Amino acid sequence: MTKKSKGLWMAIIGASFWGGSGAAAQYLFANTSMTAIWLVTVRLLFGGGIMLLIGLARHRDQIKAILSNKRDIAILVIFAFLGNFNSQLTYMLAVQASNASTATVIQYLSPVLIILWLAFRNREWPRRIDVISIIFALVGTFLLVTGGRLDALTITPNALMWGSSAALAASIYTLAPRSLLARYDTITVCGMAMFLGGLCISPNLFLTPVPHFTGLEWLDLIYIVVFGTMMAYTFFLGSVKYISPALTGMLSAFEPLVATFLTVTLLGTKLTSITLLGSFLIIFGILIESIPFKRIKMALH
């Protein structure tokens, strides 16, 4: 297997694991008394703890370096709470209020928010391709939320609020740790941030009764923690070593695609043709950001 093929499969598998974790969470919300905050606490503590142990085994010196630098600690705390914890909690609340497909697609709007923030910070107009991407995303969001009608919503206001909050949190999650990720191992940084967030909200495990799970539901929870968290991060972020970030970004579309496929086929979620069209426009609008049009134009000439 070539390095490029390895990178492609790692990105696809990682994004698919993320999409699967949303569907798995939807199943547990529908069939147990589990709450979003309880699930996020378990996910951060155990998923982040495993990643942190990997970091300790591989890059103990990096952990010491981060903890000895006040600026790095401040960035880590922002990443842990405003980015990581906030992103996971709002996403799970969106899944609980709607379904994994809708929540994942709305969260997928985060690149649009990043484009707008960078344009504002740099005091320059977005590129033409950025404007096209934003238009596609906005039209898709309108169709997804309203079903093409102005007099009604196809999702609840809570679902829209938490989904939009998840997109904003995902934007912070992407932008906040850039200086850390440029200097330290990705798995180590993410593991530290996740475990820190989980540690601070760990009292929820004692204040909230443990949900009654069947054997299948325990396997579902294990999937979310091990595959939907630890393995998803390991595969997806590791793919950048073998393929370009642009290609990795394109393959992240497998997350909403897998979430939609699983919720429709396995969980019986019904999506209208209009909401499916809206989802497609959002995904397509973000995907065109990753297409290297300049390189293609140069190759054609």
Side-chain angles (χ1 to χ4, degrees):
M1 181 181 292
T2 64
K3 289 186 176 180
K4 184 176 181 179
S5 297
K6 183 177 181 179
L8 288 171
W9 279 111
M10 288 178 69
I12 291 171
I13 292 171
S16 299
F17 280 159
W18 270 326
S21 70
Q26 180 181 330
Y27 176 81
L28 290 178
F29 288 140
N31 294 280
T32 71
S33 60
M34 185 189 70
T35 62
I37 186 68
W38 188 90
L39 174 59
V40 170
T41 305
V42 171
R43 190 179 190 183
L44 291 177
L45 269 180
F46 292 95
I50 294 171
M51 293 171 70
L52 182 56
L53 288 175
I54 295 173
L56 282 169
R58 294 180 177 178
H59 306 285
R60 187 183 297 267
D61 56 327
Q62 291 191 6
I63 295 177
K64 291 181 180 178
I66 293 173
L67 296 179
S68 62
N69 186 308
K70 291 182 179 179
R71 178 178 171 81
D72 287 347
I73 293 175
I75 295 173
L76 182 68
V77 170
I78 293 172
F79 176 42
F81 293 101
L82 295 183
N84 205 309
F85 166 69
N86 190 23
S87 174
Q88 297 206 31
L89 179 60
T90 51
Y91 171 71
M92 287 302 174
L93 287 169
V95 172
Q96 195 171 28
S98 56
N99 56 71
S101 174
T102 300
T104 307
V105 170
I106 295 178
Q107 185 192 43
Y108 201 63
L109 286 168
S110 60
V112 172
L113 300 180
I114 293 173
I115 290 169
L116 294 174
W117 163 250
L118 292 176
F120 173 78
R121 190 190 68 177
N122 298 330
R123 297 181 181 180
E124 60 184 22
W125 289 101
R127 300 170 303 163
R128 182 169 54 183
I129 189 63
D130 294 336
V131 175
I132 295 172
S133 176
I134 291 170
I135 292 172
F136 269 107
L138 291 177
V139 173
T141 304
F142 170 78
L143 294 177
L144 181 66
V145 171
T146 66
R149 296 176 55 185
L150 294 174
D151 59 341
L153 296 178
T154 57
I155 63 174
T156 65
N158 267 348
L160 179 59
M161 178 188 71
W162 290 123
S164 302
S165 299
L168 177 60
S171 304
I172 299 172
Y173 173 89
T174 303
L175 294 171
R178 292 174 71 185
S179 61
L180 289 181
L181 297 178
R183 292 178 288 122
Y184 303 112
D185 176 66
T186 302
I187 300 298
T188 301
V189 172
C190 290
M192 291 179 71
M194 290 173 67
F195 188 73
L196 176 61
L199 196 63
C200 290
I201 60 172
S202 59
N204 283 293
L205 295 182
F206 303 99
L207 299 175
T208 306
V210 177
H212 176 70
F213 290 146
T214 64
L216 177 61
E217 289 159 359
W218 276 113
L219 289 176
D220 210 6
L221 180 64
I222 291 171
Y223 169 85
I224 293 173
V225 173
V226 177
F227 292 94
T229 304
M230 186 194 75
M231 298 298 290
Y233 277 96
T234 302
F235 275 93
F236 191 79
L237 297 176
S239 68
V240 182
K241 296 179 181 179
Y242 305 103
I243 57 178
S244 68
L247 185 53
T248 303
M250 291 182 69
L251 295 173
S252 68
F254 273 85
E255 181 183 358
L257 291 175
V258 168
T260 300
F261 175 78
L262 292 177
T263 54
V264 171
T265 58
L266 297 183
L267 302 181
T269 302
K270 294 183 179 180
L271 301 175
T272 67
S273 56
I274 297 297
T275 55
L276 284 173
L277 175 60
S279 300
F280 169 78
L281 290 176
I282 292 173
I283 294 171
F284 179 75
I286 304 305
L287 281 179
I288 60 176
E289 283 288 331
S290 303
I291 299 175
F293 287 107
K294 288 185 177 179
R295 191 178 302 172
I296 293 173
K297 186 177 180 180
M298 289 177 63
L300 291 175
H301 281 291

